[in-house]
Amino acid sequence: MLRRPGTFGSIHIHRRRTGDPSLFNKLRRLASVATLSNHEIRLGQPLHGFTLKRQKHVPELQLTAYELQHDRTGAEYLHIDRDDKNNVFSIAFKTNPPDNTGVPHILEHTTLCGSEKYPIRDPFFKMLPRSLSNFMNAFTSSDHTSYPFATTNRQDFSNLLSVYLDATLNPLLKEHDFRQEGWRIGPKNPEQQPETRDSDDTLVFKGVVYNEMKGQMSDASYLYYIRFQDHIFPAINNSGGDPQKMTGLSYQDLKTFHARNYHPSNAKLFTYGNMPLADHIAEISQRLDRFDSSQADRNIKMPINLSGGPLHLTVKGPTDPLVDKEMQYKTSTSWLMGDTSDMVESFALRIMSSLLLDGYGSPLYRALIESGLGPDWSPTTGYDSGGKVGIFSVGLNGVRKEDVPKVKEAIRSSLREIYETGFDDSKIDGLLHQAELGLKHKTANFGMGIMQRLQPGWFNGSDPLDMLAWNETVNAFKTKCAQDDYLKGLLDKYLLNENCLTFTMEPDENYGASLREEEDARLAKEIAGMTQSLGSEAEARAELINQELMLIDAQSKAPTEDLSCLPSVHVQDVPRDLERKPVRDSKAGDVKVQWREASTNGLTYFRAINALEGLPAELRILLPLFTDSLMRLGTKDKTMEQLEDLIKLKTGGIAISYHSSTSPHNILQATEGLSLSGYALDSNVPAMYELLSTLIHETYFDGPEAESRVRELLQGTANGALGSIASAGHSYARRYAEAGLTPQGLLNEQIGGLTQVQRTANLASRSSSESLSDIMAKLRAIQGFAVTNSQGFRTAITCGAESVSLNESALQGFLSTLNRSSNIPALHGSQALDTTSGTKTFFSLPYQVYYSALALPTVPYTHNSSAPLQILSQLLTHKHLHHEIREKGGAYGGGAYSRGLSGLFGFYSYRDPNPQNTLKIISDAGRWARDKRWTDQDLEEAKLSVFQSVDAPESVSDEGMARFLSGVNEDMEQRKREQLLDVKKEDVVEVAQKYLVEGMGKARVAILGEDKELFKGSEGWETRHLQMAEGSGGEPEL
């Protein structure tokens, strides 16, 4: 998996969330109480070939960190001891990419395809159903590659540790695995019978990573980000790989890169949790002792030198059909900051970045977005501390050509003005308050979060123990802030100069066509080279087809391999009884209240749902805009900036959003409503309620300023929609396919699917001279019934037992501020469920790969067939679809799913080069499962896969939420648990026949991608186009 440097994930668009600034997102993972199980270790003490160099107790994080070094190879090892049952391991290597072929990324994939101790095909994926891990993956970042996992089971940890160490240090790196995962040339449909194969059968570039990166490069936001990195950081090539360059990578290049970089001398190891260090270190040392010390490219790469003055660069990029044709430019201005190993200054720069950018009241938001220069931040916006030198960038998407130079000038002007006025101390206090709550907030994935937070700096010269010393950093920052103008000094030092890069992407209507032409020419050149080598094009074609068939032969043997060498946990390791977390019920007037009393570190977590019955579709589809507006418009008496400041000072964040749920007893019954949530220190709960009440009742929807802000929200959402679809196209396809099957499927599509995207784009297309008065009237109407103190309103509170009384009083006060009741206007009535039309839909979108989904209705949560269907989905994914869709088909991902609560079963593919072939595979999956001779081991593995998520660690704020949100109580969960554990082979065969074979006639299919008339002439297919409406924004096309 490709990871963006500095943010530990795929491309992140900076959409600011009120009361939850990005600076502290990572801190919300903290949990548990430490016990020093390794207290007997002394500095300088040898331990299984390692020596303890340093240790540090960090009381605010309730942990002790141990820094060790392997004596023989110099490998660095950080162990964090903490009383947290969710234990984590990672081995990571410095992998500076030598070019843009993506060799670190392809190696990350190929490394996991077999090793000396586990010489089977793809042990990584085969371990997925043999484990109880709640996280298993591998990540390629800009200059390092990491292999982490997390599990609560001691034997599972030992098993995965062995597999991960052998995979990374002793991989087989077979050539056919390189061709499968990296790139190759082969026939599009290689398994076509020779006697029927067309002599002109298309030869195409193939490969899992090749198709992954074609999909990634289809995301204009990622493309802008990576092209920006190419220019500001040319010393670091594209680690993910540019498809245009990837086909220049040879198998020998891959092996050479592994030999040079995947060595203990170049490694950093990390363990975390309540399992003692002694449990891990002997196994780790045994693996490392086979190696001697070695040299690798551990150089810390630096960005370009901008001291010579302003630099302006422009590149070409694709157009966005969901954005105004005149607003297609992306531009940003960036400065180099200080050494990120200076913890205090780097923290201060994060604070400064948040003050400048976070929230609708921030000065740069007002200067750039509120002023109308563009609707949304550029993908580079923010402070990136992932490298040795920090980078601060500010820019916009959706800019008009004539406004491009105005963006930089507006940034400069705003920064100068901020320098003159200074920073508001109360805003700094609000950010520090958020940090305090982040430390108190108990979550389930602290270990994984802290690993991801430490690794980029660790590989770039920062001290990991310094990075953990949170209070030391904050206290030092406060001391510096007590001195006059500390942040102003940093602003002056780094940003009030012309030593910057302005990077612009201009639209090219022929961009997609140029990519296709380049790929065709590159393919022809490769084939011509083979033709010259072999003597004729026919021989070259025959050789490529033969190579493809040889790969298929190797792939076809994988499902019947002897896997006895692989370790496994067992279903008997899964407790039969649910770990219960009791809740109790009470009432406050007509309102039902669920209480969960637990240790919360002095925090109260609040959730509420106001049920909305008989909601017309034309109001429902505006609910996302309504909830966004509540966090944007302000009131008559308070600006949004003032409200944001109060939210940061008094809460850990509040949210208002849409909620829907299917009945656990009937999939044709669904409820919907608005959800309120937030958390705060116990003492600040009344203030949190007051803020929620203010936002719900006093948000001001009247006047031209409110209309202007709503238009701004619409344009910002539409601007980022195409990138959102590109990064999760299978989810959008799935929502659309499910929309015609159940009421909740329809609700989810209207709220968060392609229907919502098209509706938003249509409204955003209205010119500034066209009124939004009709929309504003509907938003006011929604405000009238959004939240009421009535029987349709219910709440859930999680707090310590000592604060129950305080919370009861505060809740009564909050409820007294709500309207008693309000009728929902009838308008045109609720939209009926259409189960007849549009069963096969293709959406034309400018992507280089495809996303597909097929969905079927099945049974409710409490039905006896629900458990076998969940097991069946895992069997199909791990025993059939992964093999056919990913390994043989070349898609980045594919599988089956069973939504137990929604009563839907489905299939999907992700970044798929051949959706027609995928559709054939999934359409026949039911018959394949029915006729398969399942073994006891197959069922064992499928059950383990299910319980990975069922028994995944849970944050304290989520305890009791299944009951509150979905009506699934612990008795139902216990019954389902027993049913899952007791599923038999005949149960799987029965549900495969009944719901997948006999039920296939009820299936609905959606495919997203470039319109190449793939299904032209195919019966039942309808093609639709997502695009901004011409002229006035009408009703959604979908």
Side-chain angles (χ1 to χ4, degrees), residues 66-79:
Y66 299 86
E67 184 184 55
L68 304 101
Q69 187 169 44
H70 188 242
D71 300 330
R72 185 177 179 89
T73 65
E76 298 177 44
Y77 181 10
L78 182 67
H79 174 74

PDB file of all heavy atoms in Angstrom, residues 66-79:
ATOM      1  N   TYR A  66      11.984   2.012  25.529  1.00  0.00           N
ATOM      2  CA  TYR A  66      13.320   1.435  25.610  1.00  0.00           C
ATOM      3  C   TYR A  66      13.950   1.475  24.219  1.00  0.00           C
ATOM      4  O   TYR A  66      13.403   0.917  23.265  1.00  0.00           O
ATOM      5  CB  TYR A  66      13.265  -0.004  26.101  1.00  0.00           C
ATOM      6  CG  TYR A  66      12.668  -0.154  27.481  1.00  0.00           C
ATOM      7  CD1 TYR A  66      11.289  -0.258  27.653  1.00  0.00           C
ATOM      8  CD2 TYR A  66      13.477  -0.189  28.606  1.00  0.00           C
ATOM      9  CE1 TYR A  66      10.745  -0.392  28.914  1.00  0.00           C
ATOM     10  CE2 TYR A  66      12.940  -0.325  29.879  1.00  0.00           C
ATOM     11  CZ  TYR A  66      11.570  -0.417  30.027  1.00  0.00           C
ATOM     12  OH  TYR A  66      11.022  -0.542  31.271  1.00  0.00           O
ATOM     13  N   GLU A  67      15.120   2.122  24.131  1.00  0.00           N
ATOM     14  CA  GLU A  67      15.834   2.193  22.857  1.00  0.00           C
ATOM     15  C   GLU A  67      17.010   1.220  22.909  1.00  0.00           C
ATOM     16  O   GLU A  67      17.903   1.355  23.760  1.00  0.00           O
ATOM     17  CB  GLU A  67      16.328   3.612  22.611  1.00  0.00           C
ATOM     18  CG  GLU A  67      16.997   3.775  21.264  1.00  0.00           C
ATOM     19  CD  GLU A  67      17.577   5.168  21.073  1.00  0.00           C
ATOM     20  OE1 GLU A  67      18.379   5.593  21.928  1.00  0.00           O
ATOM     21  OE2 GLU A  67      17.229   5.822  20.079  1.00  0.00           O
ATOM     22  N   LEU A  68      16.994   0.261  22.002  1.00  0.00           N
ATOM     23  CA  LEU A  68      18.034  -0.760  21.965  1.00  0.00           C
ATOM     24  C   LEU A  68      18.718  -0.757  20.602  1.00  0.00           C
ATOM     25  O   LEU A  68      18.183  -0.226  19.619  1.00  0.00           O
ATOM     26  CB  LEU A  68      17.448  -2.152  22.239  1.00  0.00           C
ATOM     27  CG  LEU A  68      16.676  -2.331  23.543  1.00  0.00           C
ATOM     28  CD1 LEU A  68      15.164  -2.282  23.266  1.00  0.00           C
ATOM     29  CD2 LEU A  68      17.033  -3.657  24.213  1.00  0.00           C
ATOM     30  N   GLN A  69      19.881  -1.403  20.552  1.00  0.00           N
ATOM     31  CA  GLN A  69      20.589  -1.557  19.281  1.00  0.00           C
ATOM     32  C   GLN A  69      21.135  -2.969  19.187  1.00  0.00           C
ATOM     33  O   GLN A  69      21.659  -3.519  20.169  1.00  0.00           O
ATOM     34  CB  GLN A  69      21.732  -0.549  19.164  1.00  0.00           C
ATOM     35  CG  GLN A  69      22.388  -0.549  17.776  1.00  0.00           C
ATOM     36  CD  GLN A  69      23.322   0.632  17.594  1.00  0.00           C
ATOM     37  OE1 GLN A  69      24.095   0.946  18.496  1.00  0.00           O
ATOM     38  NE2 GLN A  69      23.249   1.292  16.459  1.00  0.00           N
ATOM     39  N   HIS A  70      21.008  -3.553  18.007  1.00  0.00           N
ATOM     40  CA  HIS A  70      21.514  -4.900  17.782  1.00  0.00           C
ATOM     41  C   HIS A  70      23.032  -4.832  17.627  1.00  0.00           C
ATOM     42  O   HIS A  70      23.557  -4.091  16.781  1.00  0.00           O
ATOM     43  CB  HIS A  70      20.878  -5.506  16.523  1.00  0.00           C
ATOM     44  CG  HIS A  70      21.183  -6.939  16.326  1.00  0.00           C
ATOM     45  ND1 HIS A  70      21.865  -7.415  15.223  1.00  0.00           N
ATOM     46  CD2 HIS A  70      20.927  -8.031  17.101  1.00  0.00           C
ATOM     47  CE1 HIS A  70      21.993  -8.728  15.302  1.00  0.00           C
ATOM     48  NE2 HIS A  70      21.435  -9.127  16.436  1.00  0.00           N
ATOM     49  N   ASP A  71      23.749  -5.609  18.437  1.00  0.00           N
ATOM     50  CA  ASP A  71      25.199  -5.484  18.497  1.00  0.00           C
ATOM     51  C   ASP A  71      25.862  -5.855  17.180  1.00  0.00           C
ATOM     52  O   ASP A  71      26.830  -5.215  16.759  1.00  0.00           O
ATOM     53  CB  ASP A  71      25.751  -6.381  19.615  1.00  0.00           C
ATOM     54  CG  ASP A  71      25.195  -6.018  20.985  1.00  0.00           C
ATOM     55  OD1 ASP A  71      24.883  -4.821  21.197  1.00  0.00           O
ATOM     56  OD2 ASP A  71      25.044  -6.923  21.829  1.00  0.00           O
ATOM     57  N   ARG A  72      25.359  -6.873  16.509  1.00  0.00           N
ATOM     58  CA  ARG A  72      26.040  -7.396  15.321  1.00  0.00           C
ATOM     59  C   ARG A  72      25.791  -6.537  14.081  1.00  0.00           C
ATOM     60  O   ARG A  72      26.696  -6.279  13.296  1.00  0.00           O
ATOM     61  CB  ARG A  72      25.580  -8.831  15.071  1.00  0.00           C
ATOM     62  CG  ARG A  72      26.301  -9.551  13.941  1.00  0.00           C
ATOM     63  CD  ARG A  72      25.805 -10.985  13.833  1.00  0.00           C
ATOM     64  NE  ARG A  72      26.445 -11.696  12.743  1.00  0.00           N
ATOM     65  CZ  ARG A  72      27.581 -12.374  12.866  1.00  0.00           C
ATOM     66  NH1 ARG A  72      28.200 -12.437  14.028  1.00  0.00           N
ATOM     67  NH2 ARG A  72      28.088 -13.009  11.824  1.00  0.00           N
ATOM     68  N   THR A  73      24.552  -6.077  13.903  1.00  0.00           N
ATOM     69  CA  THR A  73      24.201  -5.370  12.664  1.00  0.00           C
ATOM     70  C   THR A  73      23.945  -3.879  12.856  1.00  0.00           C
ATOM     71  O   THR A  73      23.903  -3.137  11.873  1.00  0.00           O
ATOM     72  CB  THR A  73      22.924  -5.982  12.051  1.00  0.00           C
ATOM     73  OG1 THR A  73      21.823  -5.748  12.951  1.00  0.00           O
ATOM     74  CG2 THR A  73      23.094  -7.474  11.807  1.00  0.00           C
ATOM     75  N   GLY A  74      23.734  -3.434  14.083  1.00  0.00           N
ATOM     76  CA  GLY A  74      23.407  -2.026  14.309  1.00  0.00           C
ATOM     77  C   GLY A  74      21.944  -1.693  14.142  1.00  0.00           C
ATOM     78  O   GLY A  74      21.560  -0.520  14.184  1.00  0.00           O
ATOM     79  N   ALA A  75      21.089  -2.705  13.933  1.00  0.00           N
ATOM     80  CA  ALA A  75      19.653  -2.442  13.784  1.00  0.00           C
ATOM     81  C   ALA A  75      19.122  -1.716  15.024  1.00  0.00           C
ATOM     82  O   ALA A  75      19.456  -2.073  16.157  1.00  0.00           O
ATOM     83  CB  ALA A  75      18.896  -3.747  13.583  1.00  0.00           C
ATOM     84  N   GLU A  76      18.292  -0.701  14.794  1.00  0.00           N
ATOM     85  CA  GLU A  76      17.699   0.064  15.890  1.00  0.00           C
ATOM     86  C   GLU A  76      16.348  -0.540  16.273  1.00  0.00           C
ATOM     87  O   GLU A  76      15.589  -0.970  15.400  1.00  0.00           O
ATOM     88  CB  GLU A  76      17.530   1.528  15.476  1.00  0.00           C
ATOM     89  CG  GLU A  76      18.842   2.224  15.155  1.00  0.00           C
ATOM     90  CD  GLU A  76      18.623   3.649  14.672  1.00  0.00           C
ATOM     91  OE1 GLU A  76      17.802   4.366  15.279  1.00  0.00           O
ATOM     92  OE2 GLU A  76      19.268   4.033  13.679  1.00  0.00           O
ATOM     93  N   TYR A  77      16.076  -0.537  17.581  1.00  0.00           N
ATOM     94  CA  TYR A  77      14.869  -1.191  18.084  1.00  0.00           C
ATOM     95  C   TYR A  77      14.275  -0.309  19.179  1.00  0.00           C
ATOM     96  O   TYR A  77      14.942   0.014  20.159  1.00  0.00           O
ATOM     97  CB  TYR A  77      15.234  -2.576  18.616  1.00  0.00           C
ATOM     98  CG  TYR A  77      14.094  -3.420  19.173  1.00  0.00           C
ATOM     99  CD1 TYR A  77      12.751  -3.056  19.026  1.00  0.00           C
ATOM    100  CD2 TYR A  77      14.366  -4.608  19.840  1.00  0.00           C
ATOM    101  CE1 TYR A  77      11.733  -3.844  19.535  1.00  0.00           C
ATOM    102  CE2 TYR A  77      13.356  -5.419  20.343  1.00  0.00           C
ATOM    103  CZ  TYR A  77      12.033  -5.017  20.200  1.00  0.00           C
ATOM    104  OH  TYR A  77      11.026  -5.795  20.706  1.00  0.00           O
ATOM    105  N   LEU A  78      13.023   0.069  19.009  1.00  0.00           N
ATOM    106  CA  LEU A  78      12.304   0.846  20.017  1.00  0.00           C
ATOM    107  C   LEU A  78      11.157  -0.006  20.551  1.00  0.00           C
ATOM    108  O   LEU A  78      10.290  -0.434  19.786  1.00  0.00           O
ATOM    109  CB  LEU A  78      11.751   2.136  19.406  1.00  0.00           C
ATOM    110  CG  LEU A  78      11.008   3.067  20.371  1.00  0.00           C
ATOM    111  CD1 LEU A  78      11.960   3.650  21.405  1.00  0.00           C
ATOM    112  CD2 LEU A  78      10.302   4.187  19.606  1.00  0.00           C
ATOM    113  N   HIS A  79      11.182  -0.268  21.860  1.00  0.00           N
ATOM    114  CA  HIS A  79      10.083  -0.991  22.500  1.00  0.00           C
ATOM    115  C   HIS A  79       9.354  -0.037  23.432  1.00  0.00           C
ATOM    116  O   HIS A  79       9.980   0.667  24.231  1.00  0.00           O
ATOM    117  CB  HIS A  79      10.598  -2.191  23.294  1.00  0.00           C
ATOM    118  CG  HIS A  79       9.510  -2.875  24.078  1.00  0.00           C
ATOM    119  ND1 HIS A  79       8.547  -3.662  23.478  1.00  0.00           N
ATOM    120  CD2 HIS A  79       9.211  -2.866  25.406  1.00  0.00           C
ATOM    121  CE1 HIS A  79       7.713  -4.117  24.408  1.00  0.00           C
ATOM    122  NE2 HIS A  79       8.090  -3.649  25.584  1.00  0.00           N
TER     123      HIS A  79
END
